[in-house]
Amino acid sequence: GIYKQFFSGLAGSPTYQSLSGHMLVVDNMGAGGRIFNYQAGPISKTGIEGSYAYVLDLNGSGMKLSLGLSAQMSQFYLNKSMLFLEDANDNSVTYATDKMITPDFNFGGFFFDEEKGYYAGLSIYQLLGRSTDMMNDDYLTNSQVRHYFFNGGYKYKINGDIIIEPSIMLKFIES
């Protein structure tokens, strides 16, 4: 479980809560789940996520490929009563819905060689790239853009007690 409060002491500061778990289903196969809630002022996102992963043994001597997929269902909520407007008839709020449910998917792949010590991975978050427009395209649009993560590294064994592991991670966000 996780609880985070950002900028504690400030009214309406963002908070995040999450409860998750995972388990081995059978050899080389796992499943997991997560329930989460994020709130920042008048906006909140609550959801549930299920994950599945499988590890392929490529050569029987430590070379493996892990693949994972998760499906997520989130509800965005806009608490209009927390908004302070100069114009009570502001179109950005008047014509907006206060709730919207959105699905999404994430994917990841990770290649590694336990014997030789190198690894590389790719993951894509928010695969659908959907916009959450709160039923008001002109004023309240929140784009769920895809995030790409690439990583790689190598474990260099100096001796039995010391390992140096240079690695790199690159992140790209669609605009």
Side-chain angles (χ1 to χ4, degrees):
I2 296 172
Y3 175 83
K4 290 183 185 180
Q5 181 169 3
F6 304 87
F7 315 113
S8 63
L10 295 176
S13 64
T15 61
Y16 175 76
Q17 305 87 35
S18 176
L19 183 62
S20 64
H22 63 275
M23 63 184 230
L24 181 66
V25 177
V26 294
D27 286 346
N28 298 333
M29 189 183 307
R34 177 174 72 114
I35 300 170
F36 60 91
N37 180 56
Y38 173 79
Q39 185 168 354
I43 297 172
S44 67
K45 179 181 178 182
T46 303
I48 188 167
E49 180 176 20
S51 300
Y52 172 81
Y54 191 82
V55 179
L56 298 162
D57 189 351
L58 298 178
N59 67 356
S61 65
M63 192 179 293
K64 296 182 181 180
L65 177 65
S66 295
L67 300 170
L69 180 66
S70 71
Q72 185 179 91
M73 188 67 68
S74 302
Q75 178 183 16
F76 287 88
Y77 175 68
L78 173 64
N79 185 346
K80 294 178 185 180
S81 68
M82 291 180 69
L83 298 175
F84 302 103
L85 305 171
E86 284 186 32
D87 179 1
N89 297 319
D90 188 335
N91 289 337
S92 64
V93 177
T94 303
Y95 298 112
T97 184
D98 58 350
K99 294 179 185 172
M100 175 169 265
I101 294 176
T102 58
D104 214 336
F105 296 93
N106 307 304
F107 170 79
F110 189 71
F111 171 79
F112 60 102
D113 190 319
E114 293 173 332
E115 186 177 298
K116 296 181 180 170
Y118 56 85
Y119 57 89
L122 162 70
S123 60
I124 306 169
Y125 186 67
Q126 299 179 155
L127 272 171
L128 295 182
R130 180 184 169 145
S131 289
T132 305
D133 60 22
M134 304 302 274
M135 306 295 225
N136 191 341
D137 295 333
D138 297 331
Y139 301 101
L140 294 174
T141 301
N142 181 8
S143 296
Q144 305 285 47
V145 296
R146 282 184 203 95
H147 291 58
Y148 300 89
F149 298 89
F150 304 93
N151 72 325
Y154 177 73
K155 294 181 180 182
Y156 179 73
K157 294 181 183 180
I158 305 264
N159 60 40
D161 296 326
I162 299 174
I163 297 173
I164 295 176
E165 186 175 346
S167 64
I168 187 168
M169 187 195 74
L170 303 170
K171 178 180 177 181
F172 173 75
I173 301 172
E174 287 184 3
S175 54

